[in-house]
mmCIF file of all heavy atoms in Angstrom:
data_model
loop_
_atom_site.group_PDB
_atom_site.id
_atom_site.type_symbol
_atom_site.label_atom_id
_atom_site.label_comp_id
_atom_site.label_asym_id
_atom_site.label_seq_id
_atom_site.Cartn_x
_atom_site.Cartn_y
_atom_site.Cartn_z
ATOM 1 N N ALA A 1 95.396 120.113 96.819
ATOM 2 C CA ALA A 1 94.848 121.093 95.867
ATOM 3 C C ALA A 1 95.683 121.134 94.598
ATOM 4 O O ALA A 1 95.150 121.116 93.480
ATOM 5 C CB ALA A 1 94.787 122.480 96.508
ATOM 6 N N ARG A 2 97.001 121.195 94.763
ATOM 7 C CA ARG A 2 97.867 121.245 93.591
ATOM 8 C C ARG A 2 97.853 119.914 92.847
ATOM 9 O O ARG A 2 97.865 119.881 91.608
ATOM 10 C CB ARG A 2 99.295 121.614 93.997
ATOM 11 C CG ARG A 2 100.215 121.889 92.808
ATOM 12 C CD ARG A 2 101.608 122.296 93.262
ATOM 13 N NE ARG A 2 101.575 123.555 94.003
ATOM 14 C CZ ARG A 2 102.613 124.035 94.685
ATOM 15 N NH1 ARG A 2 103.748 123.342 94.747
ATOM 16 N NH2 ARG A 2 102.520 125.183 95.318
ATOM 17 N N ALA A 3 97.829 118.818 93.587
ATOM 18 C CA ALA A 3 97.795 117.494 92.957
ATOM 19 C C ALA A 3 96.534 117.336 92.107
ATOM 20 O O ALA A 3 96.595 116.810 90.984
ATOM 21 C CB ALA A 3 97.853 116.403 94.019
ATOM 22 N N GLN A 4 95.402 117.793 92.629
ATOM 23 C CA GLN A 4 94.153 117.685 91.865
ATOM 24 C C GLN A 4 94.175 118.610 90.645
ATOM 25 O O GLN A 4 93.629 118.270 89.591
ATOM 26 C CB GLN A 4 92.971 118.007 92.769
ATOM 27 C CG GLN A 4 92.705 116.921 93.815
ATOM 28 C CD GLN A 4 91.549 117.265 94.750
ATOM 29 O OE1 GLN A 4 90.869 118.265 94.551
ATOM 30 N NE2 GLN A 4 91.350 116.456 95.777
ATOM 31 N N ALA A 5 94.826 119.778 90.783
ATOM 32 C CA ALA A 5 94.935 120.687 89.635
ATOM 33 C C ALA A 5 95.780 120.046 88.536
ATOM 34 O O ALA A 5 95.433 120.107 87.351
ATOM 35 C CB ALA A 5 95.545 122.018 90.073
ATOM 36 N N TYR A 6 96.895 119.431 88.918
ATOM 37 C CA TYR A 6 97.728 118.737 87.935
ATOM 38 C C TYR A 6 96.971 117.571 87.304
ATOM 39 O O TYR A 6 97.075 117.317 86.091
ATOM 40 C CB TYR A 6 99.005 118.214 88.582
ATOM 41 C CG TYR A 6 100.110 119.230 88.714
ATOM 42 C CD1 TYR A 6 100.833 119.350 89.902
ATOM 43 C CD2 TYR A 6 100.442 120.069 87.649
ATOM 44 C CE1 TYR A 6 101.854 120.269 90.026
ATOM 45 C CE2 TYR A 6 101.455 121.003 87.779
ATOM 46 C CZ TYR A 6 102.164 121.101 88.962
ATOM 47 O OH TYR A 6 103.177 122.015 89.083
ATOM 48 N N ALA A 7 96.231 116.851 88.129
ATOM 49 C CA ALA A 7 95.454 115.723 87.590
ATOM 50 C C ALA A 7 94.410 116.218 86.592
ATOM 51 O O ALA A 7 94.208 115.617 85.528
ATOM 52 C CB ALA A 7 94.772 114.970 88.734
ATOM 53 N N GLY A 8 93.762 117.337 86.920
ATOM 54 C CA GLY A 8 92.788 117.917 85.998
ATOM 55 C C GLY A 8 93.441 118.400 84.723
ATOM 56 O O GLY A 8 92.900 118.225 83.625
ATOM 57 N N PHE A 9 94.620 118.993 84.851
ATOM 58 C CA PHE A 9 95.362 119.490 83.691
ATOM 59 C C PHE A 9 95.720 118.339 82.750
ATOM 60 O O PHE A 9 95.582 118.450 81.530
ATOM 61 C CB PHE A 9 96.635 120.185 84.183
ATOM 62 C CG PHE A 9 97.425 120.871 83.105
ATOM 63 C CD1 PHE A 9 97.044 122.114 82.634
ATOM 64 C CD2 PHE A 9 98.560 120.281 82.573
ATOM 65 C CE1 PHE A 9 97.779 122.764 81.642
ATOM 66 C CE2 PHE A 9 99.301 120.910 81.586
ATOM 67 C CZ PHE A 9 98.905 122.157 81.122
ATOM 68 N N ALA A 10 96.185 117.228 83.335
ATOM 69 C CA ALA A 10 96.543 116.062 82.524
ATOM 70 C C ALA A 10 95.292 115.399 81.950
ATOM 71 O O ALA A 10 95.269 114.975 80.788
ATOM 72 C CB ALA A 10 97.332 115.068 83.366
ATOM 73 N N ALA A 11 94.253 115.299 82.776
ATOM 74 C CA ALA A 11 93.031 114.626 82.332
ATOM 75 C C ALA A 11 92.368 115.370 81.181
ATOM 76 O O ALA A 11 91.870 114.756 80.240
ATOM 77 C CB ALA A 11 92.056 114.496 83.501
ATOM 78 N N ILE A 12 92.382 116.710 81.238
ATOM 79 C CA ILE A 12 91.724 117.467 80.173
ATOM 80 C C ILE A 12 92.450 117.268 78.852
ATOM 81 O O ILE A 12 91.840 117.329 77.769
ATOM 82 C CB ILE A 12 91.642 118.978 80.524
ATOM 83 C CG1 ILE A 12 90.525 119.669 79.722
ATOM 84 C CG2 ILE A 12 92.957 119.681 80.280
ATOM 85 C CD1 ILE A 12 89.145 119.238 80.076
ATOM 86 N N ALA A 13 93.760 116.997 78.912
ATOM 87 C CA ALA A 13 94.501 116.716 77.682
ATOM 88 C C ALA A 13 94.009 115.411 77.067
ATOM 89 O O ALA A 13 93.786 115.330 75.849
ATOM 90 C CB ALA A 13 96.001 116.636 77.973
ATOM 91 N N GLY A 14 93.843 114.391 77.897
ATOM 92 C CA GLY A 14 93.328 113.121 77.393
ATOM 93 C C GLY A 14 91.906 113.250 76.875
ATOM 94 O O GLY A 14 91.554 112.670 75.838
ATOM 95 N N ILE A 15 91.088 114.015 77.603
ATOM 96 C CA ILE A 15 89.699 114.218 77.178
ATOM 97 C C ILE A 15 89.654 114.966 75.847
ATOM 98 O O ILE A 15 88.901 114.608 74.933
ATOM 99 C CB ILE A 15 88.930 114.988 78.267
ATOM 100 C CG1 ILE A 15 88.781 114.115 79.518
ATOM 101 C CG2 ILE A 15 87.568 115.433 77.754
ATOM 102 C CD1 ILE A 15 88.322 114.881 80.750
ATOM 103 N N ALA A 16 90.469 116.020 75.723
ATOM 104 C CA ALA A 16 90.490 116.803 74.490
ATOM 105 C C ALA A 16 90.936 115.950 73.304
ATOM 106 O O ALA A 16 90.369 116.041 72.210
ATOM 107 C CB ALA A 16 91.424 118.006 74.642
ATOM 108 N N ALA A 17 91.964 115.117 73.525
ATOM 109 C CA ALA A 17 92.427 114.236 72.446
ATOM 110 C C ALA A 17 91.331 113.255 72.046
ATOM 111 O O ALA A 17 91.170 112.925 70.867
ATOM 112 C CB ALA A 17 93.677 113.482 72.892
ATOM 113 N N GLY A 18 90.549 112.810 73.036
ATOM 114 C CA GLY A 18 89.502 111.834 72.768
ATOM 115 C C GLY A 18 88.282 112.410 72.074
ATOM 116 O O GLY A 18 87.743 111.809 71.141
ATOM 117 N N ILE A 19 87.842 113.592 72.507
ATOM 118 C CA ILE A 19 86.615 114.152 71.925
ATOM 119 C C ILE A 19 86.898 115.076 70.747
ATOM 120 O O ILE A 19 85.965 115.527 70.076
ATOM 121 C CB ILE A 19 85.762 114.895 72.975
ATOM 122 C CG1 ILE A 19 86.439 116.193 73.428
ATOM 123 C CG2 ILE A 19 85.455 114.003 74.144
ATOM 124 C CD1 ILE A 19 85.556 117.042 74.313
ATOM 125 N N GLY A 20 88.189 115.329 70.480
ATOM 126 C CA GLY A 20 88.541 116.157 69.334
ATOM 127 C C GLY A 20 87.908 115.675 68.040
ATOM 128 O O GLY A 20 87.348 116.484 67.283
ATOM 129 N N PRO A 21 87.960 114.365 67.757
ATOM 130 C CA PRO A 21 87.339 113.886 66.513
ATOM 131 C C PRO A 21 85.841 114.153 66.438
ATOM 132 O O PRO A 21 85.303 114.403 65.353
ATOM 133 C CB PRO A 21 87.635 112.379 66.542
ATOM 134 C CG PRO A 21 88.883 112.260 67.356
ATOM 135 C CD PRO A 21 88.754 113.306 68.417
ATOM 136 N N ILE A 22 85.158 114.086 67.568
ATOM 137 C CA ILE A 22 83.717 114.351 67.564
ATOM 138 C C ILE A 22 83.448 115.827 67.273
ATOM 139 O O ILE A 22 82.575 116.175 66.464
ATOM 140 C CB ILE A 22 83.093 113.947 68.910
ATOM 141 C CG1 ILE A 22 83.275 112.449 69.134
ATOM 142 C CG2 ILE A 22 81.616 114.317 68.950
ATOM 143 C CD1 ILE A 22 82.808 111.969 70.472
ATOM 144 N N ILE A 23 84.218 116.699 67.914
ATOM 145 C CA ILE A 23 84.060 118.133 67.669
ATOM 146 C C ILE A 23 84.354 118.448 66.202
ATOM 147 O O ILE A 23 83.599 119.169 65.532
ATOM 148 C CB ILE A 23 84.996 118.935 68.597
ATOM 149 C CG1 ILE A 23 84.572 118.756 70.063
ATOM 150 C CG2 ILE A 23 85.007 120.410 68.216
ATOM 151 C CD1 ILE A 23 85.520 119.383 71.057
ATOM 152 N N GLY A 24 85.463 117.874 65.701
ATOM 153 C CA GLY A 24 85.803 118.095 64.306
ATOM 154 C C GLY A 24 84.735 117.567 63.369
ATOM 155 O O GLY A 24 84.394 118.205 62.359
#
């Protein structure tokens, strides 16, 4: 459970960095 939460936390950072230009 904690491992998946950390993975989600890290993954959302990569996703946010990637889709940030589209949102902007």
Side-chain angles (χ1 to χ4, degrees):
R2 189 178 296 169
Q4 289 178 6
Y6 277 135
F9 186 80
I12 202 67
I15 293 167
I19 70 172
I22 298 175
I23 294 174

